[in-house]
Amino acid sequence: MSTYPTALPKTARGAATRARIVDAATELVRAHGAANTTIDAVIEASKASKSQVYHYFANKDDLVLAIIHRQAECVLGAHEELLQKLNSLAGLRRWRDAVVELTRRTNCEGGCPLGSLAAELAEMPRPRAALAESFAQWASYFETGFAAMQTHAGRKPGGDLKGLSEAML
């Protein structure tokens, strides 16, 4: 992701504190939704002080943006390796099988971390923009992979690969 809602910490200790806050907030939002997650709940779950939370995040909206960035890192990290190797139908099946296995391991709970955030935050401009950036990055892996599949099959890449990639999401 290209931008962060607030400045990043300058020390390892600050980075660890900020990460702990974002981790706790991410878990709470995943379990209860952004609307039902309060700063006080994040403070309690992260064992951070209110001043630490507000040192790293101007407000809850900034914290939500950090959660979006964290979820995007996790989702794209889980898919990136397989999608970067996508150059055949077998590669697409490997990605599909990995997604199915991940879904089984989570007992199908919670849905897609980015999709769930998008459903809840779609009407909020800053979160919507951050989510759109995340989905565009994810779709770009498919688009590159579909072009590689066509090249691998001896064809010149063509067609609406962007549209197809977005449909995959």
Side-chain angles (χ1 to χ4, degrees):
M1 309 281 318
S2 61
T3 59
Y4 282 87
T6 55
L8 296 177
K10 295 178 179 154
T11 66
R13 185 175 175 191
T17 299
R18 185 182 188 282
R20 193 173 73 246
I21 293 166
V22 174
D23 288 344
T26 299
E27 287 182 30
L28 289 169
V29 167
R30 189 89 169 114
H32 307 290
N36 296 320
T37 299
T38 65
I39 292 291
D40 288 337
V42 172
I43 289 167
E44 184 178 330
S46 67
K47 308 279 191 266
S49 68
K50 187 174 268 194
S51 65
Q52 287 174 311
V53 171
Y54 285 107
H55 175 75
Y56 295 113
F57 306 99
N59 52 39
K60 184 177 173 182
D61 289 345
D62 280 349
L63 182 55
V64 166
L65 291 176
I67 292 165
I68 292 168
H69 287 278
R70 173 65 50 81
Q71 291 293 50
E73 289 171 354
C74 291
V75 168
L76 296 177
H79 294 257
E80 186 174 32
E81 183 179 346
L82 288 169
L83 290 177
Q84 286 181 341
K85 295 177 184 176
L86 183 61
N87 67 2
S88 66
L89 283 175
L92 190 58
R93 287 183 188 109
R94 280 190 295 276
W95 169 79
R96 177 209 57 203
D97 292 345
V99 170
V100 169
E101 179 56 30
L102 179 62
T103 304
R104 281 187 185 136
R105 282 195 308 239
T106 61
N107 294 318
C108 301
E109 292 177 358
C112 171
L114 288 176
S116 296
L117 287 170
E120 182 177 4
L121 303 171
E123 299 304 318
M124 300 172 69
R126 289 176 67 207
R128 181 176 53 238
L131 286 159
E133 184 180 329
S134 301
F135 282 112
Q137 176 65 39
W138 196 358
S140 75
Y141 291 132
F142 283 110
E143 189 172 354
T144 300
F146 292 147
M149 288 171 75
Q150 289 177 334
T151 300
H152 185 76
R155 296 182 23 205
K156 182 179 177 183
D160 184 8
L161 298 183
K162 183 176 182 181
L164 178 60
S165 300
E166 290 170 352
M168 286 296 294
L169 296 178

